[in-house]
């Protein structure tokens, strides 16, 4: 019986060692060893009564086979379970495809061409210049009331109210920097910015330059232009890039080459700052020189070559007629100026798409203030209308 027990142990060990290949694949060595050992047990002895072999072999083999079958079954179960876990861990997991970022559209939220702009003009704290010289509830109510008139006249174009604020003020003296201009204090500009933000108004930063480098002047106010509701206006009447005159003393004459770098810089801002397309308003007080024998004569033209203004669809250029009336016949004069400087210029040069017009409440009421209906009768109807004093 000790030999039987030893043989069973060797069967168990052989089964454990060969679990991966199966019990039936045991090598001949193991079979021979078992067979020899069992032959020693089963050999007849002269002192024993011979027993039939057929009774002994089932007793020895059946328990061993049952034990090995049990072990193989358990081992196979464990291996299959482990394999299932491995597959569960290593199975590829579908990764959601990231949605592409929305494409930037500068037209979304742009003021023009869907809307019309009505703005009050002013130099801060200078009442003579315009109604927006101070920020009050009365001024805001008056601005909104004025805007509502144009809204009724043309419901197809919602009116956006705003302020045209001079932030680069021309001077008759050179000043510390020798630029014949100075900046409105930052704290004051901040008040206007916050006022416009709070009341959902547009804000034009109006640059008058003097002798200042035009691009450097624009860049000085660039932090404000990162805001979506802030736009640019320039007044060539006070602009002397060649240092050949004094603001308020001499007449100015500028060229397209002086304005184009500004137009291009503003055109790039929507993409740079991810804001809607901006307006670039050019005030025109006197004729352009495209048909004159001497277009660079300040006494004859304010813009020497308007035909050469850059045409850039990334910015909304507005030619804004801001000549001053206040005498009999002034309405007819200003109507004719708009027809020539805006309507004809737009068709001839095709480098700007919008017209603007300015009314002076106090100066022009000395004769007869132009009505909103008369302003809207201009062709094409002005898309930016400003009011000064």
């Amino acid at each position: 019986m000790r030999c039987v027990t030893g043989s069973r142990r060797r069967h168990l060990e052989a089964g454990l060692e060969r679990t991966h290949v199966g019990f039936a694949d045991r090598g001949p060595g193991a079979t021979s060893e078992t067979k020899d050992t069992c032959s020693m047990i089963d050999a007849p002895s002269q002192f024993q009564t011979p027993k039939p072999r057929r009774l002994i072999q089932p007793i020895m083999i059946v328990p061993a086979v049952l034990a090995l079958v049990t072990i193989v079954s358990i081992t196979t179960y464990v291996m299959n379970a482990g394999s299932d876990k491995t597959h569960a861990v290593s199975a590829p997991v579908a990764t959601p495809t990231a949605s592409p970022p929305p494409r930037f559209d500068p037209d979304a939220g742009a003021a023009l061409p869907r809307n019309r702009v009505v703005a009050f003009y002013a130099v801060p704290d200078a009442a003579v210049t315009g109604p927006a010289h101070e920020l009050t509830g009365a001024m805001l109510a008056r601005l909104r009331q004025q805007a509502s008139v144009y809204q009724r006249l043309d419901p197809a174009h919602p009116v956006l109210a705003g302020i045209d604020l001079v932030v680069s003020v021309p001077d008759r003296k050179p000043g510390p920097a020798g630029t014949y201009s100075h900046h409105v204090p930052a704290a004051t500009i901040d008040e206007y910015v916050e006022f416009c933000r709070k009341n959902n108004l547009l804000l034009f930063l109006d640059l008058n330059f003097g002798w200042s480098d035009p691009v450097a002047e624009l860049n000085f106010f660039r932090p404000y232009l990162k805001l979506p509701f802030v736009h640019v206006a320039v007044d060539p009447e006070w602009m002397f890039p060649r240092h050949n005159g004094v603001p308020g003393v001499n007449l100015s004459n500028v060229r397209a080459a002086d304005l184009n770098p500004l137009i291009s810089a503003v055109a790039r801002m929507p993409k740079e700052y991810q804001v809607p397309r901006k307006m670039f308003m050019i005030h025109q007080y006197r004729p352009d020189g495209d048909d004159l024998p001497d277009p660079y004569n300040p006494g004859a033209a304010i813009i020497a070559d308007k035909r050469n203004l850059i045409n850039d669809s990334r910015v909304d250029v507005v030619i804004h007629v801001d000549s001053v009336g206040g005498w009999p016949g002034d309405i007819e004069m200003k109507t004719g100026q708009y027809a020539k400087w805006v309507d004809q210029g737009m068709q001839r040069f095709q480098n700007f798409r919008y017209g603007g017009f300015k009314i002076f409440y106090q100066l022009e009421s000395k004769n007869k203030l132009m009505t909103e209906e008369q302003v809207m009768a201009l062709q094409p109807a002005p898309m930016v209308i400003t009011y000064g004093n």
Side-chain angles (χ1 to χ4, degrees):
M1 294 299 295
R2 284 194 300 271
C3 180
V4 172
T5 304
S7 176
R8 183 184 181 192
R9 182 171 63 249
R10 282 193 291 272
H11 275 294
L12 294 177
E13 292 172 351
L16 289 172
E17 292 173 357
R18 292 175 174 80
T19 300
H20 294 286
V21 297
F23 177 75
D25 296 331
R26 287 180 299 160
T31 304
S32 175
E33 179 185 1
T34 304
K35 187 180 295 184
D36 293 343
T37 306
C38 290
S39 297
M40 293 173 61
I41 297 174
D42 297 337
S45 170
Q46 60 179 339
F47 302 105
Q48 294 177 329
T49 302
K51 298 180 181 180
R53 290 178 62 88
R54 293 179 181 177
L55 295 177
I56 298 174
Q57 286 180 345
I59 294 175
M60 294 167 49
I61 294 173
V62 170
V65 171
L66 291 176
L68 284 173
V69 169
T70 303
I71 292 171
V72 171
S73 299
I74 295 173
T75 305
T76 303
Y77 175 81
V78 172
M79 290 179 64
N80 289 338
S83 176
D84 291 341
K85 291 181 180 178
T86 302
H87 287 300
V89 172
S90 60
V93 178
T95 303
T97 303
S99 301
R103 184 178 178 182
F104 171 65
D105 181 10
D107 188 55
L112 301 177
R114 297 181 181 87
N115 307 283
R116 173 169 284 106
V117 178
V118 174
F120 277 180
Y121 174 90
V123 175
D125 300 321
V128 68
T129 61
H133 67 94
E134 60 180 353
L135 300 175
T136 64
M139 184 278 293
L140 179 62
R142 186 184 182 191
L143 171 60
R144 286 178 169 161
Q145 189 280 328
Q146 182 65 79
S148 69
V149 177
Y150 289 96
Q151 180 68 71
R152 289 196 299 271
L153 293 174
D154 182 14
H157 291 87
V159 174
L160 304 177
I163 293 176
D164 181 7
L165 181 70
V166 178
V167 293
S168 171
V169 185
D171 297 320
R172 294 191 179 189
K173 297 182 179 180
T179 59
Y180 288 91
S181 67
H182 70 275
H183 295 159
V184 170
T188 301
I189 299 176
D190 291 343
E191 290 178 7
Y192 276 84
V193 168
E194 187 56 33
F195 185 86
C196 290
R197 187 201 310 273
K198 178 180 177 181
N199 294 289
N200 197 29
L201 304 177
L202 301 181
L203 177 64
F204 288 95
L205 299 184
D206 206 313
L207 310 180
N208 289 185
F209 299 106
W211 284 19
S212 298
D213 176 82
V215 174
E217 194 78 337
L218 176 68
N219 286 337
F220 180 87
F221 296 100
R222 183 177 283 267
Y224 297 107
L225 294 168
K226 296 179 181 180
L227 299 172
F229 58 90
V230 179
H231 303 268
V232 178
V234 298
D235 197 339
E237 188 65 27
W238 312 100
M239 185 177 180
F240 294 87
R242 274 161 285 283
H243 302 176
N244 57 351
V246 175
V249 177
N250 306 111
L251 295 175
S252 65
N253 176 278
V254 302
R255 304 170 188 179
D258 302 320
L259 299 172
N260 285 341
L262 303 175
I263 295 174
S264 295
V266 175
R268 292 190 296 268
M269 289 181 183
K271 186 174 182 180
E272 290 176 2
Y273 306 135
Q274 299 291 289
V275 295
R277 187 174 56 254
K278 292 189 177 293
M279 292 177 283
F280 186 88
M281 183 163 59
I282 303 174
H283 299 303
Q284 184 166 354
Y285 179 68
R286 294 179 290 111
D288 45 78
D290 291 277
D291 297 323
L292 301 179
D294 182 9
Y296 306 110
N297 178 7
I302 188 173
I303 303 175
D305 54 341
K306 193 157 67 177
R307 67 185 182 278
N308 290 326
L309 288 175
I310 191 171
N311 182 15
D312 195 325
S313 61
R314 298 174 299 169
V315 60
D316 291 329
V317 175
V318 180
I319 298 297
H320 177 262
V321 176
D322 71 344
S323 57
V324 183
W327 61 86
D330 59 349
I331 294 178
E332 292 76 13
M333 180 200 73
K334 293 183 68 170
T335 299
Q337 291 172 343
Y338 186 87
K340 187 172 184 179
W341 301 347
V342 174
D343 187 19
Q344 295 177 25
M346 192 181 298
Q347 295 182 45
R348 288 180 62 191
F349 309 136
Q350 298 186 11
N351 51 8
F352 65 97
R353 291 175 292 280
Y354 305 105
F357 199 77
K358 187 171 184 178
I359 302 293
F360 292 82
Y361 281 127
Q362 296 177 7
L363 293 174
E364 294 179 348
S365 63
K366 295 176 183 178
N367 176 50
K368 184 180 180 181
L369 199 64
M370 198 168 179
T371 67
E372 293 85 358
E373 288 80 4
Q374 289 173 312
V375 173
M376 290 296 292
L378 298 171
Q379 292 298 322
M383 297 304 287
V384 180
I385 302 165
T386 65
Y387 282 83
N389 277 343

